[in-house]
Amino acid sequence: MYKENYLGFGLAVASSAFIGSSFIIKKKGLQRAAASGSHAGAGGYGYLLEPLWWVGMITMIVGEFANFVAYIYAPAVLVTPLGALSIIVSAILAHFLLKEKLRKMGILGCALCVIGSTIIVLHAPGEHSISSVDEIWALATQPAFLIYTALAIAVVLVLVLYCESRYGQTNMMIYIGVCSINGSLTVMSIKAIGIAIKLTFEGSSQVAHFQTWIFVMVAVSCIITQLNYLNKALDTFNTSVVSPIYYAMFTSFTILASAIMFKDWSGQNASDIISVLCGFGTVLLGVAVLHNTREPVPPPSDLYTSLSPQFSWLVHANGEIWKPTDNDELHHEFIGVIRPDYFK
């Protein structure tokens, strides 16, 4: 028993190291793609042709696989809190490799996120055993979880269709919110798929069950959306801030979705419930500290590259604006000349 726990502990630590490193590797890949004129934050997908980004993706997959195997050998109460180590790994590597300074208040924010998430996980209700895909399908179609799913989809649509174009480049919570809310649905779907695979290996094939394939489609759709918006967040904002906030929000939404779907709160004592609420408060405080102390993001370096330094914009008294040619002379109604370096 203890030997298996040590093995699970080692796998969980290795998983955190791989996942934390993947944030930095993918960020470097996004930077290389951006250097060639394809910004993920602006909707570009040039990073798909960048080998370094794929190295980061493979690193993340290895980390997630190690985390999955860790749950086989050790209890969730041991494995899940260790996921917070990925924040520390990511922040340290970002400080040295990406030159993203993690100030004292940022360190405090990271610590609060880690402490709060750990409290939530340690005092979260235990899981009920699931014996079939049909059983988990019944849980997924109960009214409470259907309401949660509908609200989650509605919030994601608002963030994507309304908020992204207006606030996406200035507020990281838009991108991270999409990733985190989708992540809670992803975990529920992945859990169902895992049960189907396990039962199939045990001799009870779940391939013919249509519910299995619905969960597969939901998981694939949510994962693709998560990756897309996580890339936008990493390309636009400071990695040392994105990583802990994403971890905290993803953990919170996942625990909430699990509590609704599996009715984990039934039979829990008051001390555990209060501890979870305190954990949520600590996470929210950490998120606020990180969000308020992050470094301002400079505008893209190529924002004004399309304007030649030889061109001036002439503003006339009648309100018209035009770009003069070399043969044009100053108009008698000329008021001022604004050159590109005015904006620097």
Side-chain angles (χ1 to χ4, degrees):
M1 172 66 75
Y2 289 104
K3 183 177 180 181
E4 291 182 348
N5 278 352
Y6 282 130
L7 179 58
F9 173 80
L11 288 169
V13 172
S15 170
S16 297
F18 277 109
I19 293 175
S21 301
S22 71
F23 277 97
I24 308 305
I25 299 174
K26 289 169 65 178
K27 176 78 171 186
K28 296 289 287 186
L30 290 170
Q31 289 178 340
R32 289 189 179 183
S36 62
S38 178
H39 288 277
Y45 296 93
Y47 60 84
L48 295 176
L49 302 177
E50 177 56 50
L52 191 59
W53 183 86
W54 284 106
V55 172
M57 275 299 303
I58 294 174
T59 303
M60 176 172 284
I61 292 172
V62 171
E64 294 293 352
F65 180 76
N67 192 58
F68 174 78
V69 177
Y71 280 103
I72 298 176
Y73 296 99
V77 70
L78 172 65
V79 176
T80 308
L82 293 174
L85 294 177
S86 63
I87 297 176
I88 301 174
V89 173
S90 179
I92 294 175
L93 291 179
H95 179 79
F96 290 103
L97 299 181
L98 300 180
K99 308 303 180 184
E100 297 180 356
K101 291 185 178 181
L102 187 62
R103 305 182 187 279
K104 292 181 179 180
M105 290 301 295
I107 295 174
L108 175 61
C110 287
L112 289 172
C113 287
V114 172
I115 293 172
S117 298
T118 302
I119 292 174
I120 292 173
V121 173
L122 290 177
H123 292 275
E127 294 181 347
H128 300 294
S129 60
I130 304 297
S131 59
S132 68
V133 173
D134 293 334
E135 183 179 347
I136 199 170
W137 176 258
L139 295 173
T141 54
Q142 60 183 312
F145 190 73
L146 288 177
I147 292 174
Y148 173 82
T149 302
L151 290 174
I153 294 174
V155 172
V156 168
L157 289 177
V158 170
L159 292 175
V160 171
L161 300 179
Y162 178 80
C163 298
E164 181 183 359
S165 60
R166 293 168 173 81
Y167 313 111
Q169 295 295 311
T170 58
N171 192 331
M172 73 176 70
M173 302 306 289
I174 305 300
Y175 296 146
I176 297 178
V178 174
C179 294
S180 302
I181 295 172
N182 268 286
S184 65
L185 300 178
T186 301
V187 172
M188 301 300 105
S189 301
I190 291 296
K191 183 178 180 66
I193 296 170
I195 292 173
I197 294 174
K198 178 183 177 182
L199 293 174
T200 300
F201 284 146
E202 291 176 351
S204 177
S205 177
Q206 304 294 307
V207 176
H209 293 246
F210 76 92
Q211 296 95 330
T212 302
W213 297 104
I214 291 178
F215 285 125
V216 170
M217 290 187 292
V218 171
V220 171
S221 301
C222 290
I223 289 173
I224 292 175
T225 303
Q226 280 180 260
L227 290 176
N228 183 30
Y229 281 89
L230 181 59
N231 286 330
K232 290 185 177 183
L234 291 173
D235 189 48
T236 308
F237 301 101
N238 193 305
T239 306
S240 61
V241 180
V242 170
S243 179
I245 293 180
Y246 172 61
Y247 169 80
M249 291 186 63
F250 171 76
T251 302
S252 300
F253 278 112
T254 299
I255 291 176
L256 176 61
S258 180
I260 296 174
M261 184 170 177
F262 298 106
K263 301 183 184 298
D264 294 327
W265 297 109
S266 59
Q268 293 297 305
N269 55 50
S271 63
D272 285 335
I273 296 176
I274 293 174
S275 296
V276 170
L277 293 177
C278 290
F280 268 108
T282 306
V283 169
L284 293 177
L285 180 59
V287 170
V289 171
L290 282 168
H291 191 65
N292 291 330
T293 58
R294 68 182 178 88
E295 295 180 354
V297 181
S301 58
D302 59 346
L303 184 60
Y304 298 104
T305 53
S306 59
L307 297 176
S308 171
Q310 297 177 350
F311 289 156
S312 301
W313 293 90
L314 304 187
V315 183
H316 287 258
N318 60 7
E320 295 181 356
I321 302 176
W322 100 95
K323 181 172 62 179
T325 62
D326 294 337
N327 297 326
D328 287 340
E329 297 180 356
L330 290 179
H331 196 277
H332 67 279
E333 293 181 351
F334 168 79
I335 293 179
V337 179
I338 302 177
R339 298 181 182 276
D341 57 1
Y342 172 85
F343 299 96
K344 293 182 180 180

